[in-house]
């Protein structure tokens, strides 16, 4: 009999229960949901994302909010893909009702969990396949050690990434004018040079980084609203601070990505905060490389090593340049959008196997937030 069978007798009734494989990728957590969801409408991951966001957001709240989650938690709901080139797909759930088109650290966690639990057969030394995310198909190369049943690193090829605005001035209350680049790399990033604000990327400065980052991101979204040219995805919804690397880190640069865990209200200073990605951030690294390429600072094929706020490392490079077109206004002739295809390598570790449940009489069936640690 399984451990779950011993713990939960047949008479115990839960209104909701989800089997998860919890992981972290270079410090940033992800809760990989492998069972417990039925009737999520949609054929593609993009359609399932829309359905979950519009009709089943309570799932995100159960998995991410207290008392079952915490501010930095993320979730990935795994589905069998109906795409002819992919067996598996997943939809990403983050705080603040954000459902990214793509997330790097979540991808690395999902791939590691699926291979190490046998859902995807491990091929030694390299397991290659595609996964479907709301933003499209992602090529995966996982370096594996079958003797240890271990995925030692995951490399993914990201969705087409491009710069929408380069070097625009954003007026931010109490801060002033801030120079911002706005780029899409699976999410819409405001890219900001931390040194321009005399901001040092260290764990000790976490509260200041969150405050400044959330304020700049919100102002950028208000003053320079953007949307993806092919599918409906508005921004900015995330921010990355760029800075020089730590001494002897071996990195080319260091970053801090600021994510929302609530809604900023300019009339309430207590909401002027967010949370920091503990990893070097996959899509954030892609956004930084995309901006660097647009500025002539990074060539195709040139390695870029990115350091997180806690000292962990992602390695990236730009593989090729492509063009995409605005598919929302097909009757209007538009110029092609120049994109790059980034590639990121990183590692993840399983932290626990979990069954997240909701009892029928639980007073918090969708969780809660308190503004001591949340932007409530």
């Amino acid at each position: 009999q399984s451990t779950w069978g011993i713990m939960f007798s047949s008479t115990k009734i839960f209104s909701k229960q989800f089997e998860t494989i919890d992981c972290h990728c270079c410090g940033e957590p992800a809760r990989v949901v492998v069972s417990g969801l039925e009737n999520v409408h949609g054929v593609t991951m993009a359609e399932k994302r829309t359905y979950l966001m519009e009709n089943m957001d309570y799932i995100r709240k159960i998995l991410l909010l207290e008392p079952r989650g915490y501010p930095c938690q993320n979730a990935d709901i795994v589905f069998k893909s109906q795409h002819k080139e992919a067996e598996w797909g997943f939809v990403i759930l983050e705080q603040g009702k954000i459902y990214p088109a793509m997330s790097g650290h979540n991808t690395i966690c999902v791939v590691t969990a699926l291979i190490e639990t046998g859902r995807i057969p491990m091929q030694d030394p390299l397991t290659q396949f595609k996964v479907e995310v709301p933003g499209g198909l992602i090529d995966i190369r996982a370096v594996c050690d079958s003797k240890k049943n271990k995925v030692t690193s995951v490399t993914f090829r990201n969705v087409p990434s491009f710069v929408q605005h380069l070097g625009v001035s954003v007026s931010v209350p109490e801060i002033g004018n801030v120079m911002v680049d706005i780029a899409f790399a699976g999410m819409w990033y405001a890219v900001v040079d931390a040194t321009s604000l005399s901001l040092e990327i260290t764990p000790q400065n976490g509260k200041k980084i969150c405050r400044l980052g959330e304020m700049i991101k919100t102002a950028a979204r208000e003053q320079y609203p953007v949307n993806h040219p092919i599918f409906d995805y508005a921004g900015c919804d995330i921010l990355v601070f760029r800075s020089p690397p730590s001494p002897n880190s071996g990195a080319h640069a260091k970053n801090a990505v600021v994510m929302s865990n609530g809604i900023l209200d300019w009339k309430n200073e207590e909401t002027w905060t967010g949370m920091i990605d503990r990893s070097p951030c996959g899509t954030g690294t892609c956004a930084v490389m995309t901006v660097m390429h647009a500025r002539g600072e990074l060539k195709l094929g040139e390695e870029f090593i990115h350091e997180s706020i806690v000292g962990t490392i992602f390695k990236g490079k730009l593989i090729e340049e492509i063009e995409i077109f605005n598919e929302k206004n097909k009757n209007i002739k538009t110029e092609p959008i120049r994109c790059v295809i980034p590639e990121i390598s990183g590692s993840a570790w399983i932290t626990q196997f979990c069954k997240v449940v909701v009892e029928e009489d639980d007073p918090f069936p969708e969780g809660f937030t308190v503004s001591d640690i949340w932007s409530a």
Side-chain angles (χ1 to χ4, degrees):
Q1 188 177 14
S2 70
T3 303
W4 297 121
I6 295 170
M7 292 176 64
F8 304 127
S9 72
S10 60
T11 59
K12 185 71 173 179
I13 298 175
F14 300 104
S15 61
K16 302 281 188 306
Q17 53 183 314
F18 310 96
E19 183 183 351
T20 75
I21 305 164
D22 287 11
C23 306
H24 81 85
C25 174
C26 293
E28 182 70 3
R31 176 162 277 172
V32 182
V33 182
V34 293
S35 73
L37 268 84
E38 304 291 340
N39 301 318
V40 178
H41 296 187
V43 175
T44 68
M45 295 304 129
E47 292 170 350
K48 290 182 183 295
R49 168 188 177 268
T50 299
Y51 188 82
L52 283 162
M53 185 164 51
E54 294 180 353
N55 301 283
M56 301 178 71
D57 191 56
Y58 63 88
I59 301 296
R60 182 189 60 82
K61 293 177 181 178
I62 291 170
L63 295 169
L64 302 189
L65 302 186
E66 294 183 72
R68 301 168 190 84
Y70 79 112
C72 285
Q73 186 61 279
N74 308 265
D76 303 290
I77 301 178
V78 175
F79 300 96
K80 283 285 190 175
S81 174
Q82 297 187 46
H83 196 287
K84 63 181 181 181
E85 296 185 54
E87 181 182 1
W88 295 93
F90 62 96
V91 176
I92 308 145
L93 287 61
E94 296 188 354
Q95 303 289 2
K97 202 178 179 180
I98 293 174
Y99 288 71
M102 167 60 184
S103 168
H105 102 273
N106 281 293
T107 297
I108 294 170
C109 286
V110 168
V111 168
T112 299
L114 292 180
I115 295 176
E116 292 190 359
T117 59
R119 289 171 170 85
I120 293 177
M122 179 180 289
Q123 304 293 325
D124 197 343
L126 190 66
T127 306
Q128 300 185 74
F129 54 94
K130 298 179 189 289
V131 293
E132 183 191 357
V133 299
L137 280 182
I138 303 297
D139 287 315
I140 300 294
R141 301 196 312 275
V143 178
C144 301
D145 183 345
S146 59
K147 293 181 180 178
K148 298 179 179 179
N149 192 37
K150 175 63 185 169
V151 177
T152 58
S153 71
V154 174
T155 299
F156 66 86
R157 188 165 292 190
N158 200 9
V159 297
S161 304
F162 57 93
V163 174
Q164 186 72 34
H165 297 292
L166 197 62
V168 294
S169 179
V170 175
S171 178
V172 186
E174 298 196 5
I175 299 175
N177 293 330
V178 179
M179 297 302 293
V180 176
D181 305 313
I182 297 176
F184 181 83
M187 299 180 74
W188 278 111
Y189 278 85
V191 183
V192 179
D193 183 354
T195 59
S196 69
L197 300 169
S198 301
L199 180 63
E200 187 177 359
I201 304 301
T202 63
Q204 294 75 19
N205 282 341
K207 290 184 179 180
K208 184 177 181 181
I209 292 168
C210 286
R211 181 180 173 88
L212 295 179
E214 195 67 15
M215 292 171 71
I216 296 168
K217 174 179 58 182
T218 302
R221 182 170 60 242
E222 293 171 350
Q223 295 167 37
Y224 293 92
V226 289
N227 206 316
H228 198 277
I230 297 175
F231 49 86
D232 186 29
Y233 191 100
C236 296
D237 56 342
I238 197 163
L239 177 142
V240 55
F241 282 118
R242 300 176 57 188
S243 78
S246 301
N248 304 315
S249 67
H252 297 105
K254 189 175 185 178
N255 82 96
V257 167
V258 179
M259 305 174 289
S260 302
N261 65 18
I263 298 174
L264 184 144
D265 179 356
W266 290 115
K267 297 179 181 179
N268 182 1
E269 290 191 27
E270 291 185 359
T271 67
W272 299 2
T273 187
M275 57 193 179
I276 300 172
D277 192 326
R278 273 65 174 151
S279 80
C281 188
T283 54
T285 299
C286 292
V288 168
M289 292 193 299
T290 301
V291 167
M292 291 176 67
H293 184 69
R295 293 186 177 278
E297 299 170 357
L298 187 69
K299 299 177 182 178
L300 291 180
E302 185 177 353
E303 185 177 61
F304 179 69
I305 303 175
H306 219 191
E307 179 189 4
S308 75
I309 193 169
V310 296
T312 50
I313 294 293
F314 280 173
K315 294 182 179 180
K317 59 183 175 181
L318 302 176
I319 301 302
E320 61 178 328
E321 294 178 332
I322 67 167
E323 292 181 345
I324 63 172
F325 293 86
N326 191 324
E327 296 185 8
K328 293 178 179 176
N329 299 304
K330 292 184 178 181
N331 295 328
I332 301 174
K333 185 176 181 180
T334 58
E335 293 296 319
I337 300 167
R338 296 181 61 185
C339 303
V340 290
I341 302 296
E343 190 174 85
I344 297 291
S345 298
S347 301
W349 293 263
I350 293 174
T351 58
Q352 64 180 346
F353 296 92
C354 183
K355 184 159 280 192
V356 179
V357 301
V358 180
E359 294 199 54
E360 289 188 325
D361 62 348
D362 191 318
F364 304 111
E366 295 186 14
F368 61 87
T369 63
V370 179
S371 63
D372 57 342
I373 62 172
W374 299 84
S375 176

